[in-house]
Amino acid sequence: MKSSLLVLPFLLGACASTQVAKQFRYISYEDTPTPQKSVGNIEGRDCSWSVLGYSMGQPTVRSAFSNAVAQRTEGFIPGQSGETKGSQLKTFKNVTVEDDGFHAWVVGRTCVVVAGEGYL
């Protein structure tokens, strides 16, 4: 019984990325944040593909945030990196984290989407 209680947090922690991270009011990437210029709504996503039910990786909230901050689009083909639309953000406000994707019979795509208002 005690050993199962010790393993439970590790199992829950592995599945909790988008369940825990839902909404953030303010995220800064500077020591002394001073939001200056709004660039509008920014979206970052990290996706993984599955073929015949076999997953080719797991999307992470960290990679989705990294893509949002760098204003980098995600490539549609697996392994392809997208293009960068602008300079790196300094502040991110009113951030939401959601799951997205599709599942067809043969192929599927699972994504973590991070969206919010970005500032330079």
Side-chain angles (χ1 to χ4, degrees), residues 72-91:
R72 185 177 325 125
T73 59
E74 195 229 349
F76 189 72
I77 299 170
Q80 176 190 26
S81 54
E83 60 187 47
T84 302
K85 293 182 181 179
S87 59
Q88 189 159 335
L89 299 178
K90 295 180 182 176
T91 306

Side-chain angles (χ1 to χ4, degrees), residues 22-120:
K22 284 293 183 188
Q23 292 183 334
F24 298 98
R25 300 296 259 159
Y26 189 84
I27 299 171
S28 176
Y29 298 96
E30 295 181 316
D31 292 334
T32 56
T34 55
Q36 297 172 357
K37 180 183 173 192
S38 174
V39 292
N41 290 332
I42 299 295
E43 182 179 282
R45 61 177 55 228
D46 184 33
C47 299
S48 68
W49 291 88
S50 62
V51 177
L52 298 173
Y54 295 102
S55 178
M56 297 181 177
Q58 280 297 101
T60 63
V61 175
R62 178 181 294 243
S63 294
F65 266 109
S66 175
N67 288 337
V69 169
Q71 298 189 47
R72 185 177 325 125
T73 59
E74 195 229 349
F76 189 72
I77 299 170
Q80 176 190 26
S81 54
E83 60 187 47
T84 302
K85 293 182 181 179
S87 59
Q88 189 159 335
L89 299 178
K90 295 180 182 176
T91 306
F92 214 23
K93 287 186 178 181
N94 300 322
V95 181
T96 60
V97 180
E98 298 176 351
D99 293 318
D100 191 23
F102 69 90
H103 297 285
W105 292 290
V106 178
V107 68
R109 186 175 183 200
T110 305
C111 299
V112 173
V113 180
V114 174
E117 187 176 350
Y119 290 86
L120 295 176

